[in-house]
Amino acid sequence: MESMLDETVEPGSQGDPAVSLSDVQVRPEEIKEQLTEEDLDRRVDIYLTETETIWMLDMPSVVASVESEDAGRILERNKIYVDICKNRPGNDRFAEKMMQTINGAAKNKEVQCDKIVMEDKGVVVTSWDLYDSFNVSEIEPASKGEATNGKSSMSHTTKKHDQTASVTSARGNITSVTTLESAALARTHKKEENRLEAILTSEKFQQDLFFMERVLMENIFQPKLAAYRQFPVLIDPSVTSDNAGTVVAVKEAKQEEHDKGKKDKEEQKEALIDPSIPSDLNKPVEETVPPSLEQLWSYTCDLTQGLNVSSMAWNKVNPDLLAVGYGAFDFKEQKKGLACCWSLKNPMWPERIFQCEHGVTALDFSMASPNLLAVGTYSGTITIHNVQSSTTTAILNSRDSSESHTGPVWQLKWLEQDGNTAEDDKRERLISVSADGRLTKWLVQKELDCTDLMKIKRAGSEKKNLPREKERKSVVLISRQAAGMCFDFHPKDTNFYLAGTEEGLIHKCSCSYDQQFLETYKGHKGPVYKVAWNPFSTDMFLSCSADWSIKLWHQNSQTPILTFSSTTTVVHDIMWSPKSVFIFAAVNESRVEIWDLSVSILDPMITHSGNPEVKFTSVLFAKNTDCLLVGDSRGEVSVFELQNLAASSSTKHLGRLKMSLTPNPSGVAQSP
C-alpha cells in the first residue's frame, strides 16, 4: 500500500505535475480572509487521492487461478505434500502436530469398572436341622457336663435349652455360608479350568508350540543335521549336550586314530625306501580310508513301533520331506496301516499322519502337484491325500471306481508321458501294479478313472514228454493272470517299461500294446520284488528277487549278465546311486549292502548288519547329499551317512561300463 504522502500526478493536468498533496493541504499564507470576485472566478485545481484501506477481517484465499503466475509453484507444492502424506510412515520429513508444541495437549482418560452386583441370600433352617446339628457338635461336651453335674434344677435346664437353640441357629447359618463359599470356589475352579483348556486348544498356542518344537529339534540334532548337509560341525563350548558331545568325541577319536595310523605307515614306508631306485619308482602308494556307513538318526515314534516299513518316497520339490508307508507283507499279520510325512526339521514326530484301514504297500509324490500323495494299500485301494491340508481325509479314493484293484497294490509311480502323444495323454498319470495281474494307468480328475496298460498273463510250461511217456494232460490254471510285483519306466523313453512278476519273470512292455510283451527275461527262481533302470547307462537294469540274488541285465540279452548273491536271505529292495553309474544299494533281511562295480563284482564294498530280530525291507538314496535311508520291520527309517565313498564320474566311466558289460558273441560278459 502506498502512503498518503506519496506524490500523485493527474494525467492531462495543465498545472505543475510535481504539485504534492502537502502543498495543497498546507499553505495557510495563501488563504485570505476575504475573497474577491476575481478570486471566485479564478479556476481552482482539486486533487482527489485514495486513503489507506483498513481491513477488519483478513482471510486470504486458498484458491488460485490456473492462469496465474503462481499456479505452477502451487501445483508443485501440492504434489510434494501428497507424496509426503503417502510416505509419512518412517519419513524423516513428517512429524506429528503435537510434537511441534512445547506441551502436549492434555487428554482425559475415563475408566469404567464392572458393575458391582449385590445379592441377598437367605437360608431356611428347620427345627430338626437345629436338633441334628446340636447333637453332632455337642454330644461329647454334653456327656462330660452330665458326668460332672448330675443334678440340675428344672429352671436351669430350661434356660440351657434356650441358649442351645440360639447357638445352634447361629451354627446353622455358618454351615450354610460355608456351603455357599465352597460352591463359589467350585465355580471359580471350573471357570479356571475352562480358561486353561481354551488356551491349550487355541490356534496361537499351538503355533507357538510348533515353533518352539522346531527350535528344540534344531538344537538337539544340530551336529547330525550338519553331517547330513555335509557342513562342518560347529559346537558351542558352553553347550554340554550329550548328543553333540558324543558325536564330536567319536569323530575326534576316529580322526586321531586315523592320523596316528597314517603317520606310522609313512614312517615305515620311508624306512623301506631304497636310495638306488629312481624317485618316480620309489614313491610310496597313498593309503585310503575304507568307506563305511555311520548312522545319524532314525525316523521313529510311538505310532510306528511294530509296523513294517513298506515303501519310501521323496517329495519332488522339497528334498527334506519324506513319505513313509507302514504295512505288513504277510497276509496272516495284516494290521491297520499308516502313511507318514517326515520332515528333516523334526526327526522325532511326523508332520502329517494318514490313518489307513489296511496296510500301506506303496506310495509316491506327484511331480506336477507336489502336494498330492498317492497311497496304495493291501486291499487294492488307492487314495490321494493333500499334504498341505491339516485334514487327514483322502480327497480321492479308488473305491468309488468300478475298475479298482482286487489285490494288493505293490508299487505306485506318477508319470508324465512324452513322445508322439496327444496333449491329453501328456498329462501326469498315476501308474500302479497289483497282485491281480493288472498294470493300470489312473487319470486324476474329479474322480479316479483308470485304463489297463497291461494284463500280465502267466507263462506256459515248456516241459516236453519223455520217450514212452503218455501225453501230459493240460494243466488247468486257476487264474490266467500273473501277479505283478514291480515296474519301472525307461528313463529316456517312457513308452517302454519293465514289469516284474511273482513267477520270477521280467517282461519288457510298450504302452502301445496291451496284449503282448516285447521281451521276456528269465533268470530268477522266485518273485521279482524290484526292477530299476540305470539312470546313466539306460541299456542296463537291475532286479532283485526272493531267490536271494540280484541280477544285472542288458535289454538286448534275455539272460542276466552278472549275478550277485552274497547272502542266503530274501533281497527286498535295490536302488541305483543318483551320482555314480557303478554304485547301487541293496537290502536283504539281514544286512544293508553297497556295491561298486568299478571295484568288485564279487563282494559288496560296504555291508552293515542290524539286529538279528529286525529285517531290512526298503532302501532309498537321499537327494543332494551322500546319505542312505533304510527301513526295517520294526517301524524305523535309519539315516546313514556314506563316508569316504569316492563316487566315480558317470560320464567318464560310462563307456567303460558299456564295453565291459556288453555281451559278446560267446555270451560271456567281460570283467570290468
Side-chain angles (χ1 to χ4, degrees):
M1 299 295 296
E2 296 180 355
S3 63
M4 296 175 59
L5 302 179
D6 290 340
E7 297 179 354
T8 57
V9 178
E10 182 180 359
S13 174
Q14 297 180 0
D16 188 3
V19 176
S20 62
L21 182 62
S22 59
D23 296 335
V24 176
Q25 293 179 351
V26 186
R27 286 185 180 179
E29 64 275 9
E30 295 182 0
I31 299 176
K32 299 180 180 180
E33 295 180 357
Q34 294 181 358
L35 297 176
T36 61
E37 292 182 358
E38 295 179 358
D39 294 335
L40 294 175
D41 295 335
R42 189 177 57 186
R43 183 178 179 180
V44 180
D45 295 332
I46 300 174
Y47 297 94
L48 299 178
T49 59
E50 185 178 358
T51 60
E52 183 180 1
T53 304
I54 300 175
W55 296 94
M56 300 299 294
L57 180 61
D58 187 8
M59 296 180 64
S61 176
V62 295
V63 179
S65 175
V66 294
E67 299 178 357
S68 62
E69 297 179 355
D70 297 337
R73 181 174 56 83
I74 293 173
L75 291 176
E76 184 67 23
R77 289 185 60 190
N78 292 341
K79 183 178 179 182
I80 294 173
Y81 179 75
V82 172
D83 294 339
I84 291 176
C85 291
K86 289 182 179 179
N87 303 324
R88 66 179 182 179
N91 193 345
D92 295 339
R93 300 179 61 186
F94 176 78
E96 292 290 344
K97 186 175 181 180
M98 190 177 65
M99 297 174 61
Q100 298 175 354
T101 59
I102 299 176
N103 297 323
K107 293 184 178 180
N108 296 329
K109 184 176 181 182
E110 297 180 358
V111 179
Q112 181 178 359
C113 64
D114 296 336
K115 183 179 179 181
I116 300 175
V117 180
M118 301 181 65
E119 297 180 358
D120 295 331
K121 295 184 179 180
V123 178
V124 178
V125 181
T126 59
S127 58
W128 50 83
D129 291 334
L130 297 176
Y131 179 78
D132 294 339
S133 301
F134 171 73
N135 289 335
V136 171
S137 59
E138 298 293 340
I139 184 170
E140 293 184 357
S143 61
K144 292 181 180 180
E146 290 176 359
T148 54
N149 302 323
K151 297 180 180 181
S152 59
S153 61
M154 193 66 180
S155 61
H156 179 69
T157 303
T158 305
K159 185 177 181 180
K160 182 177 180 180
H161 178 72
D162 296 338
Q163 293 176 356
T164 304
S166 61
V167 172
T168 306
S169 178
R171 287 181 178 175
N173 293 332
I174 293 173
T175 304
S176 62
V177 173
T178 305
T179 305
L180 292 175
E181 290 180 354
S182 61
L185 291 175
R187 288 196 299 269
T188 304
H189 182 67
K190 187 175 181 179
K191 290 182 180 179
E192 185 68 18
E193 288 182 351
N194 295 335
R195 188 179 68 85
L196 293 176
E197 185 178 358
I199 292 174
L200 292 176
T201 56
S202 64
E203 184 178 356
K204 181 66 169 59
F205 185 73
Q206 296 292 335
Q207 185 178 9
D208 294 341
L209 286 180
F210 176 77
F211 290 142
M212 183 57 65
E213 185 182 32
R214 287 289 178 88
V215 173
L216 292 177
M217 291 300 105
E218 290 288 339
N219 293 338
I220 294 173
F221 290 92
Q222 192 274 334
K224 296 181 179 181
L225 292 175
Y228 180 88
R229 300 285 193 188
Q230 298 179 355
F231 293 155
V233 180
L234 302 177
I235 302 298
D236 189 356
S238 60
V239 177
T240 58
S241 174
D242 297 337
N243 194 1
T246 303
V247 174
V248 175
V250 170
K251 289 193 174 184
E252 290 180 354
K254 288 183 179 181
Q255 187 67 25
E256 291 178 359
E257 184 179 356
H258 172 60
D259 295 342
K260 184 178 180 181
K262 185 176 181 181
K263 184 177 181 181
D264 295 340
K265 290 181 180 180
E266 289 178 356
E267 292 178 355
Q268 293 177 3
K269 290 176 182 178
E270 290 177 357
L272 296 176
I273 292 176
D274 189 356
S276 62
I277 301 177
S279 59
D280 295 339
L281 301 177
N282 209 359
K283 186 177 181 180
V285 180
E286 295 182 358
E287 292 290 337
T288 58
V289 180
S292 61
L293 286 177
E294 181 181 355
Q295 184 174 358
L296 298 178
W297 71 83
S298 295
Y299 290 112
T300 181
C301 64
D302 296 337
L303 295 177
T304 62
Q305 289 294 332
L307 298 178
N308 187 78
V309 177
S310 59
S311 56
M312 298 182 294
W314 290 109
N315 189 277
K316 302 302 189 298
V317 175
N318 185 3
D320 296 339
L321 186 61
L322 174 70
V324 182
Y326 301 90
F329 296 126
D330 192 359
F331 176 77
K332 299 179 181 180
E333 299 179 356
Q334 284 301 309
K335 303 177 183 178
K336 290 188 176 181
L338 282 178
C340 298
C341 294
W342 294 89
S343 175
L344 195 68
K345 298 177 181 178
N346 187 2
M348 298 183 67
W349 192 260
E351 298 292 324
R352 293 288 185 272
I353 300 173
F354 303 103
Q355 300 281 351
C356 302
E357 296 180 1
H358 301 87
V360 176
T361 53
L363 48 77
D364 190 27
F365 276 107
S366 171
M367 293 182 292
S369 301
N371 60 310
L372 298 183
L373 176 66
V375 178
T377 62
Y378 195 86
S379 63
T381 304
I382 299 175
T383 56
I384 308 295
H385 297 270
N386 184 7
V387 299
Q388 286 184 343
S389 176
S390 57
T391 59
T392 59
T393 306
I395 59 176
L396 292 175
N397 197 322
S398 67
R399 190 183 304 169
D400 303 332
S401 175
S402 59
E403 301 295 332
S404 180
H405 287 297
T406 58
V409 180
W410 291 122
Q411 189 173 352
L412 286 173
K413 188 174 183 180
W414 295 85
L415 181 71
E416 183 177 350
Q417 292 186 348
D418 52 6
N420 298 326
T421 56
E423 292 296 331
D424 294 340
D425 294 335
K426 288 185 179 181
R427 288 182 293 178
E428 189 179 31
R429 309 295 176 92
L430 179 64
I431 311 299
S432 63
V433 65
S434 173
D436 59 4
R438 297 164 53 203
L439 200 143
T440 308
K441 176 174 62 175
W442 298 84
L443 179 60
V444 179
Q445 293 178 342
K446 293 183 179 179
E447 59 183 12
L448 288 175
D449 297 329
C450 69
T451 56
D452 291 337
L453 289 178
M454 177 65 67
K455 292 184 178 180
I456 305 173
K457 299 179 181 179
R458 291 184 179 273
S461 177
E462 297 181 356
K463 292 184 178 180
K464 296 181 180 180
N465 296 334
L466 298 175
R468 298 179 183 180
E469 187 177 4
K470 295 181 180 180
E471 185 178 357
R472 295 176 182 267
K473 295 182 180 180
S474 59
V475 179
V476 179
L477 299 177
I478 298 177
S479 174
R480 291 185 176 274
Q481 304 294 333
M485 301 300 295
C486 57
F487 67 90
D488 192 22
F489 280 79
H490 197 273
K492 289 187 177 180
D493 189 357
T494 56
N495 192 41
F496 300 98
Y497 61 91
L498 299 171
T501 65
E502 193 177 19
E503 297 178 301
L505 302 178
I506 302 173
H507 303 294
K508 182 180 179 182
C509 310
S510 173
C511 295
S512 303
Y513 304 98
D514 58 352
Q515 298 293 332
Q516 60 183 359
F517 310 125
L518 301 180
E519 297 286 347
T520 298
Y521 305 96
K522 302 178 181 179
H524 286 294
K525 304 300 181 183
V528 179
Y529 288 150
K530 189 70 176 291
V531 291
W533 290 99
N534 192 309
F536 303 104
S537 179
T538 55
D539 293 334
M540 309 288 180
F541 65 91
L542 278 175
S543 64
C544 65
S545 171
D547 61 0
W548 312 340
S549 67
I550 304 170
K551 296 184 183 296
L552 179 65
W553 306 78
H554 193 281
Q555 66 173 350
N556 296 331
S557 175
Q558 296 183 359
T559 57
I561 298 175
L562 293 175
T563 300
F564 312 98
S565 182
S566 58
T567 59
T568 57
T569 55
V570 177
V571 183
H572 285 287
D573 198 3
I574 53 174
M575 185 178 183
W576 286 102
S577 171
K579 295 185 178 181
S580 175
V581 68
F582 296 103
I583 299 175
F584 67 89
V587 289
N588 49 52
E589 293 185 352
S590 60
R591 65 183 187 180
V592 183
E593 298 177 351
I594 306 294
W595 290 78
D596 190 348
L597 302 182
S598 64
V599 177
S600 175
I601 59 174
L602 302 177
D603 298 315
M605 179 178 56
I606 303 174
T607 59
H608 175 79
S609 300
N611 191 344
E613 299 178 356
V614 179
K615 299 178 181 179
F616 296 111
T617 58
S618 56
V619 65
L620 182 67
F621 276 98
K623 293 185 177 181
N624 304 326
T625 182
D626 293 334
C627 289
L628 186 72
L629 279 70
V630 180
D632 56 31
S633 60
R634 192 172 47 188
E636 294 186 6
V637 177
S638 302
V639 181
F640 294 93
E641 181 186 6
L642 295 169
Q643 295 184 343
N644 306 317
L645 183 63
S648 303
S649 174
S650 58
T651 57
K652 181 178 180 181
H653 301 281
L654 182 58
R656 177 185 169 190
L657 177 66
K658 290 184 177 180
M659 184 180 298
S660 60
L661 297 181
T662 302
N664 52 27
S666 62
V668 180
Q670 302 176 5
S671 177

